[in-house]
Amino acid sequence: MYKTNWVWIPNWNETDKEEPRILYFRKVIELRQIPEKLEIKISADSRYKLYVNGTLAEFGPSKGDDKVWYYDTVDLVPYLVRGKNVLAVVVLRYPLEHTKGNSSIFRTQTPGFYFVGEYLDENGKLINISADEGWKCKRESSIKIVPEQPMLAPLCFFEEASGNPDTYGWMRTGYSDDDWSTAESIWLQMLMNKAASPGNLSARTIPYMKRISRKFDGILVRRESKFEDAEWNRMLAGDGNITITPNSKEVVEINAGELMTGFLKLSVFGGKGAKIKILQSESYVLPDESGTLSSPQPKKENRMDYVNGKLNGVTDIYTVAGLGKGDSIEVFEPFWFRTFRFIQLEIVTDKEPLTITGFDYLETGYPLEVKTWVKTSDDSMQKIWNISERSLKRCMQETYMDCPFYEQLQYAMDTRSEILYTYMVSADDRLARKSFDDFRRSRRCDGLINCCYPSYNNNVIPGFSIYYILMLYDHMMYFGDKALIRSYLPTIDEILEYFHCHLTEDGIVDKIGGQLFRDKNWSFIDWSTKWDATSGVPTAALSGPITMESLLYIMGLEYAAQMVQFVGRNGIADEYLKRAEKVKEAVRDHCIGSNGMIQDGPGIDEYSQHCQVFAVLTDTIGAEQGKENLLKTILNKQEYAQCTVAMAYYLYRALEKCDLYEYTDELWDIWRDMIKNNLTTCVEDPVGQRSDCHAWGALALYELPAVILGVRPTKPGFEEMEVKPVPGKLDWAEGEVITPKGIVEVAWKKEGEDITLYYKMKNPK
């Protein structure tokens, strides 16, 4: 046996294992001179935040699972000073029970904190500062981690906390840790298996999340306050304090200016016993017809309507210990980042006055660099672009996620769209590559992937496995990485084999799912109004198979065929294409009504826009019939289930293919309504409107550069591309589009029936 660089707190008991715990690890190092280099490796089960001399240096690790666990490499030099330095690590440990932790954060049987580092001192001596018995540790008893709601709660990181005299100032050099425990090393053969998480540490594969200091825009409304807006705003700007008298109450609502993701920080002194509630909200919601706030999806219209509406969200609670005095402040800084556009601050003081010295946040998220820009003759498209860009940024963290406020889970259908948008605006595939690997590790014994991953829970939507195939195809077209595609072919084949093994005697995909919570798998297609009662599933699923799953299988086969051809496996491509043609024939034989439209289920006289769209995209029906069917769904919206935000990308592709692209102008009204309702990000869907930030709705980031300007690859890896604008109802457009081969500058203008087009490649690679 030998020691690892994993340590944990001694006397970890059964009670500790049952609840989320916050733990502190601390080491003081003294430097006569700052070393030229001091890179450390760090990880934890479940999460860590590393502070050096009180400054946040990094947080992580990057999300992994029970097969892969990541470590981070951090250079401490920028944070060090001559003399004593405090390395302070906050670790959040989740219990094994699923409902008592964040769904996207894995945990193992072996809790631990990992730290490896060494440096050369002024005499050239190598000093080891790795995790061992030289580190001190302590449980934080004053913070309780709670879920956001009693029932379905994917997030479990909200805090009911209070100031703790025992740990106050623990990140500073003057603090005494004499009564802290000595960290206990974890022995390799007993507890840490290098073949499994977290023993099998892998280097981080994505960039570190950005950390940008931000101030709130200011007070939006004072619900109950003795102070003027100007006084609150000076404090929020960092130019003053607010001192609240004893035994009083203040309720104010603060505007961030846009929906944000960030680490909140509240600084106070005095005020022992004061209770502070920090409610975070995406929007103001309205009373329903009965005059009360409906639940769980309150009515949303104007997101800024603070006169008629109320903030609806989640709350952190902090009880002030009164520890801050003079220059020393008491800080409440929740461990996990929060999603918010508005904050309601409710403060109830006890017998002492409370002074608030600051309330701000550290913006976080994936460091997306948007290099594409587009302008058009329609001014509304710029505003749509802006909320789309912001949505994508908020939904890019350590994984793609929908959505940052409610779930923070990476769903395959959403992710396929978000990856495309990322390629078009940045040509950055690093987070995409991680998502490919994430989903592959979620493979089940039946061949399907989990619909969302990393996830501590099983959740299968069969069609989402097909979207996974599509996202791999997109990477082929944009980056042309044969080795990557080749490595995923077994996963692709297993997915397709699942569908092949579930064909009926008639040759269509059998009933492989159904309603959420009622069937083994969920056959979610879209949040269409007509499918409200069946949780986004065509009602045909109540009695048998749904045609959409056959159409998705066809699309998966056709995209997979192109990928295996790309790596030279033409025999498999032929097999996939033959399979696809057989399923098409089966759909034509059994799923077309007397009106020529594709039915939602075989022999069921129900029709949706979705089936017509995917029948067009897969050439299951001819171009003329497909065009006629699509027009019926557009001109008779009340008769057919409509594609909403989630499916808009596919609807637009079908309209483009059928020379009906001008109809997208009225479809953009969904986004124009978002602007009218003062959204700063894209709504999940226009029906339930649960989430105000869902990046599958960031369609403009693809549509404007790829279609309106017309810059798209025609061969894998952008080896060949086209610049073929599709104007729709626009009169002109111009912009620059980033590609893996360089930036393409484009401008076009309508002149009568003709289009004058100019383009060139800038700085070709």
Side-chain angles (χ1 to χ4, degrees):
M1 295 193 301
Y2 62 90
K3 296 178 182 179
T4 68
N5 292 116
W6 287 90
V7 296
W8 200 236
I9 194 165
N11 303 316
W12 189 245
N13 57 49
E14 291 304 315
T15 303
D16 290 325
K17 296 176 183 178
E18 293 297 319
E19 300 296 333
R21 289 280 189 253
I22 293 287
L23 301 102
Y24 298 150
F25 291 85
R26 187 175 191 271
K27 186 177 183 67
V28 179
I29 58 175
E30 189 156 3
L31 303 172
R32 291 188 179 179
Q33 65 181 35
I34 299 173
E36 293 183 5
K37 182 179 181 181
L38 207 174
E39 277 191 352
I40 60 97
K41 295 178 181 178
I42 184 171
S43 189
D45 180 356
S46 306
R47 301 283 298 186
Y48 78 84
K49 289 174 81 172
L50 167 65
Y51 294 83
V52 182
N53 297 321
T55 299
L56 179 63
E58 201 50 75
F59 60 93
S62 175
K63 289 182 180 179
D65 60 14
D66 58 349
K67 304 173 187 68
V68 171
W69 205 275
Y70 294 102
Y71 69 85
D72 296 328
T73 301
V74 185
D75 183 9
L76 302 187
V77 170
Y79 308 98
L80 299 173
V81 297
R82 289 177 181 267
K84 289 185 178 181
N85 292 263
V86 180
L87 309 181
V89 181
V90 185
V91 173
L92 168 60
R93 164 64 184 183
Y94 283 125
L96 294 176
E97 184 180 331
H98 167 252
T99 58
K100 293 184 177 181
N102 185 323
S103 290
S104 66
I105 301 298
F106 271 79
R107 44 271 196 194
T108 75
Q109 294 283 352
T110 307
F113 159 58
Y114 175 83
F115 192 99
V116 173
E118 58 187 19
Y119 66 93
L120 291 173
D121 69 7
E122 67 279 4
N123 299 316
K125 182 181 178 182
L126 193 63
I127 306 298
N128 183 14
I129 58 171
S130 300
D132 58 16
E133 290 79 1
W135 284 70
K136 292 293 193 75
C137 54
K138 188 177 185 67
R139 294 170 179 80
E140 176 53 84
S141 60
S142 68
I143 299 175
K144 182 179 180 182
I145 305 294
V146 296
E148 72 273 26
Q149 57 186 15
M151 298 295 289
L152 180 64
L155 307 178
C156 186
F157 52 59
F158 297 95
E159 297 186 17
E160 295 175 0
S162 59
N164 187 349
D166 290 340
T167 56
Y168 181 68
W170 73 280
M171 294 185 186
R172 297 197 292 265
T173 54
Y175 178 85
S176 173
D177 57 16
D178 290 346
D179 63 343
W180 283 36
S181 300
T182 298
E184 199 170 71
S185 290
I186 298 175
W187 295 80
L188 177 65
Q189 289 179 323
M190 290 176 62
L191 296 171
M192 194 65 65
N193 185 346
K194 285 188 175 292
S197 293
N200 58 336
L201 286 173
S202 299
R204 186 185 185 95
T205 58
I206 58 173
Y208 293 93
M209 300 302 101
K210 61 188 175 186
R211 303 193 304 274
I212 305 171
S213 295
R214 298 289 191 199
K215 302 290 187 184
F216 288 97
D217 273 16
I219 293 294
L220 189 62
V221 59
R222 289 175 289 119
R223 297 292 183 190
E224 188 175 346
S225 179
K226 300 179 182 68
F227 302 92
E228 297 298 323
D229 285 3
E231 295 175 274
W232 279 105
N233 288 335
R234 279 195 293 271
M235 182 275 292
L236 292 171
D239 296 328
N241 299 335
I242 289 282
T243 299
I244 304 167
T245 57
N247 302 306
S248 61
K249 182 178 181 181
E250 292 279 327
V251 182
V252 294
E253 289 166 5
I254 301 168
N255 185 12
E258 61 188 66
L259 191 140
M260 269 288 180
T261 51
F263 294 99
L264 294 172
K265 183 178 181 180
L266 177 69
S267 303
V268 302
F269 64 79
K272 182 178 181 180
K275 286 195 177 295
I276 302 175
K277 294 182 179 179
I278 305 175
L279 183 150
Q280 307 118 47
S281 179
E282 289 188 306
S283 71
Y284 284 87
V285 299
L286 300 173
D288 61 19
E289 290 74 12
S290 67
T292 60
L293 292 177
S294 55
S295 180
Q297 294 186 20
K299 181 181 178 183
K300 292 182 177 181
E301 290 180 357
N302 179 0
R303 299 320 198 256
M304 294 281 290
D305 189 358
Y306 58 84
V307 175
N308 300 302
K310 293 184 178 181
L311 291 179
N312 180 68
V314 289
T315 303
D316 290 294
I317 302 173
Y318 185 71
T319 301
V320 179
L323 299 168
K325 301 184 188 304
D327 294 334
S328 176
I329 58 172
E330 183 174 342
V331 174
F332 175 51
E333 185 179 6
F335 181 91
W336 200 268
F337 76 81
R338 301 293 189 254
T339 303
F340 52 87
R341 182 178 174 188
F342 306 104
I343 298 284
Q344 183 185 84
L345 205 57
E346 178 185 301
I347 304 163
V348 178
T349 57
D350 197 19
K351 298 175 184 178
E352 295 183 5
L354 172 73
T355 298
I356 303 177
T357 64
F359 185 45
D360 51 25
Y361 62 96
L362 202 63
E363 180 189 347
T364 190
Y366 185 89
L368 180 70
E369 294 183 40
V370 175
K371 299 176 181 177
T372 292
W373 63 269
V374 185
K375 293 182 180 178
T376 75
S377 56
D378 183 348
D379 290 340
S380 69
M381 294 309 298
Q382 184 61 55
K383 294 179 180 178
I384 294 172
W385 177 279
N386 292 342
I387 67 170
S388 300
E389 180 181 321
R390 194 175 294 117
S391 299
L392 182 61
K393 287 179 176 178
R394 302 299 175 260
C395 290
M396 290 178 71
Q397 302 285 335
E398 291 170 13
T399 63
Y400 288 96
M401 60 172 57
D402 277 311
C403 60
F405 189 84
Y406 282 105
E407 297 183 50
Q408 298 188 5
L409 288 166
Q410 179 173 247
Y411 283 89
M413 177 184 178
D414 313 50
T415 300
R416 190 264 168 137
S417 298
E418 291 164 20
I419 287 174
L420 262 180
Y421 307 157
T422 305
Y423 294 165
M424 288 307 305
V425 301
S426 69
D428 181 350
D429 71 334
R430 291 172 292 179
L431 194 59
R433 285 174 174 265
K434 183 180 187 303
S435 72
F436 303 158
D437 194 42
D438 289 339
F439 283 116
R440 174 167 58 184
R441 293 198 312 277
S442 77
R443 282 179 300 180
R444 297 155 43 88
C445 61
D446 60 11
L448 295 180
I449 61 168
N450 222 42
C451 71
C452 57
Y453 205 78
S455 175
Y456 205 63
N457 193 24
N458 290 318
N459 189 358
V460 177
I461 303 174
F464 279 29
S465 290
I466 299 298
Y467 294 112
Y468 178 66
I469 294 174
L470 306 189
M471 72 172 77
L472 292 167
Y473 167 85
D474 296 333
H475 193 275
M476 176 190 76
M477 293 303 295
Y478 280 79
F479 297 96
D481 187 336
K482 286 189 177 182
L484 181 142
I485 296 300
R486 193 179 296 111
S487 71
Y488 287 102
L489 291 183
T491 306
I492 293 170
D493 194 62
E494 286 183 5
I495 291 169
L496 296 174
E497 190 64 20
Y498 171 87
F499 283 85
H500 179 69
C501 291
H502 286 82
L503 296 176
T504 67
E505 291 183 359
D506 292 330
I508 61 172
V509 175
D510 206 345
K511 181 175 172 59
I512 54 176
Q515 294 186 74
L516 180 63
F517 302 132
R518 295 188 182 184
D519 292 276
K520 177 182 176 182
N521 298 328
W522 183 22
S523 289
F524 173 81
I525 301 298
D526 193 1
W527 291 118
S528 186
T529 307
K530 288 186 177 294
W531 299 338
D532 269 357
T534 48
S535 60
V537 177
T539 54
L542 298 177
S543 56
I546 58 171
T547 310
M548 269 297 299
E549 288 176 330
S550 290
L551 295 171
L552 282 167
Y553 176 41
I554 294 167
M555 183 173 282
L557 286 165
E558 292 181 335
Y559 278 63
Q562 294 184 63
M563 284 188 278
V564 293
Q565 284 176 334
F566 175 59
V567 299
R569 300 183 183 181
N570 295 325
I572 299 175
D574 291 342
E575 177 194 337
Y576 287 165
L577 292 174
K578 287 176 183 177
R579 281 199 212 173
E581 191 54 46
K582 286 184 179 180
V583 182
K584 288 182 190 180
E585 291 173 4
V587 170
R588 294 177 192 128
D589 290 342
H590 302 284
C591 303
I592 295 182
S594 58
N595 57 5
M597 298 182 73
I598 302 292
Q599 298 168 327
D600 284 350
I604 295 177
D605 200 27
E606 296 174 5
Y607 304 90
S608 63
Q609 193 172 64
H610 307 76
C611 281
Q612 316 319 311
V613 164
F614 278 78
V616 165
L617 295 178
T618 57
D619 296 313
T620 299
I621 54 175
E624 288 304 312
Q625 186 65 55
K627 185 174 184 177
E628 180 183 328
N629 292 351
L630 269 180
L631 275 172
K632 284 181 184 177
T633 66
I634 292 170
L635 300 176
N636 303 280
K637 291 182 173 59
Q638 299 305 314
E639 295 183 31
Y640 306 101
Q642 297 288 298
C643 292
T644 72
V645 173
M647 277 285 182
Y649 169 82
Y650 303 94
L651 172 60
Y652 279 43
R653 298 290 66 73
L655 292 172
E656 181 188 357
K657 187 172 181 177
C658 292
D659 295 323
L660 296 172
Y661 196 73
E662 64 272 14
Y663 282 97
T664 61
D665 181 65
E666 65 183 65
L667 294 172
W668 285 117
D669 284 346
I670 295 174
W671 284 264
R672 294 184 184 110
D673 286 343
M674 296 181 202
I675 304 297
K676 290 177 184 176
N677 283 322
N678 285 311
L679 278 116
T680 61
T681 46
C682 297
V683 72
E684 179 176 4
D685 72 271
V687 183
Q689 302 193 55
R690 181 187 70 144
S691 163
D692 273 8
C693 185
H694 234 69
W696 64 15
L699 176 63
L701 304 185
Y702 178 86
E703 216 62 28
L704 269 61
V707 185
I708 300 302
L709 293 185
V711 180
R712 283 182 277 197
T714 54
K715 284 191 176 181
F718 252 96
E719 288 302 322
E720 290 185 12
M721 68 176 184
E722 64 181 9
V723 181
K724 188 178 179 182
V726 183
K729 289 191 174 182
L730 297 174
D731 296 321
W732 60 265
E734 62 180 5
E736 293 182 345
V737 183
I738 185 69
T739 76
K741 299 297 184 182
I743 293 176
V744 184
E745 183 180 346
V746 184
W748 61 262
K749 185 177 181 180
K750 280 184 182 177
E751 295 180 351
E753 296 297 318
D754 298 324
I755 294 178
T756 301
L757 172 65
Y758 159 84
Y759 66 90
K760 73 173 183 179
M761 177 72 79
K762 296 173 62 177
N763 304 318
K765 296 180 181 179

